[in-house]
């Protein structure tokens, strides 16, 4: 059974930093993409950043240059370093792992709240 456990959310002042971490277990296939998405009330979940097993990263334009995604331990852990946080970054952040090749799968973590406020 696949489990994604997130940690590292919290309250931070504008301009501050937070580091989110996601630990994945139960994944036995390579060739995955791990990522972080976020959602605010009344809005759809949106991409923040992804990283492939080959090391290719992709960022939303709104976080480019401020956030850094990194994967470790053969894609068993993915971190999101968030610097220069802004109030508009406030959201619930979700970890995701997916595989587009057979066998396909797509799993989500439970979410962690990030609040940027003075």
């Amino acid at each position: 059974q696949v489990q994604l456990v997130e940690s590292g959310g919290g309250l931070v002042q504008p301009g501050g930093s937070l580091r989110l971490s996601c630990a994945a277990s139960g994944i036995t296939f390579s060739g995955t993409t791990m990522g972080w998405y976020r959602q605010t009330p009344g809005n759809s979940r949106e991409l923040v950043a992804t990283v492939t097993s080959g090391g290719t990263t992709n960022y939303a334009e709104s976080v480019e240059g401020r956030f850094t995604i990194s994967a470790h331990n053969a894609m068993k852990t993915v971190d999101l370093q968030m610097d220069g946080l802004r109030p508009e970054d406030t959201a619930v952040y979700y970890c995701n792992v997916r595989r587009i090749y057979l066998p396909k799968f797509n799993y989500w973590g439970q979410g962690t709240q990030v609040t940027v406020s003075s």
Side-chain angles (χ1 to χ4, degrees):
Q1 183 178 354
V2 175
Q3 272 196 316
L4 300 177
V5 179
E6 299 130 333
S7 61
L11 173 64
V12 64
Q13 292 187 342
S17 298
L18 278 177
R19 187 177 184 88
L20 304 182
S21 186
C22 174
S25 60
I27 298 175
T28 58
F29 291 94
S30 59
T32 58
T33 296
M34 296 193 77
W36 289 93
Y37 292 73
R38 65 188 182 188
Q39 188 171 21
T40 54
N43 293 307
S44 302
R45 197 169 294 185
E46 64 175 14
L47 168 75
V48 176
T50 61
V51 58
T52 70
S53 56
T56 300
T57 57
N58 181 47
Y59 295 92
E61 188 175 333
S62 60
V63 307
E64 184 87 52
R66 299 187 297 124
F67 292 9
T68 304
I69 190 169
S70 58
H72 312 280
N73 301 321
M75 297 291 281
K76 295 297 190 291
T77 305
V78 61
D79 295 334
L80 184 70
Q81 177 66 39
M82 305 185 292
D83 299 314
L85 282 161
R86 304 167 180 169
E88 54 264 38
D89 295 318
T90 295
V92 178
Y93 284 69
Y94 295 90
C95 179
N96 173 265
V97 61
R98 69 178 189 269
R99 193 173 192 273
I100 62 172
Y101 311 104
L102 293 177
K104 296 181 179 181
F105 53 76
N106 188 34
Y107 295 103
W108 295 93
Q110 79 284 359
T112 185
Q113 177 70 46
V114 171
T115 302
V116 184
S117 176
S118 56

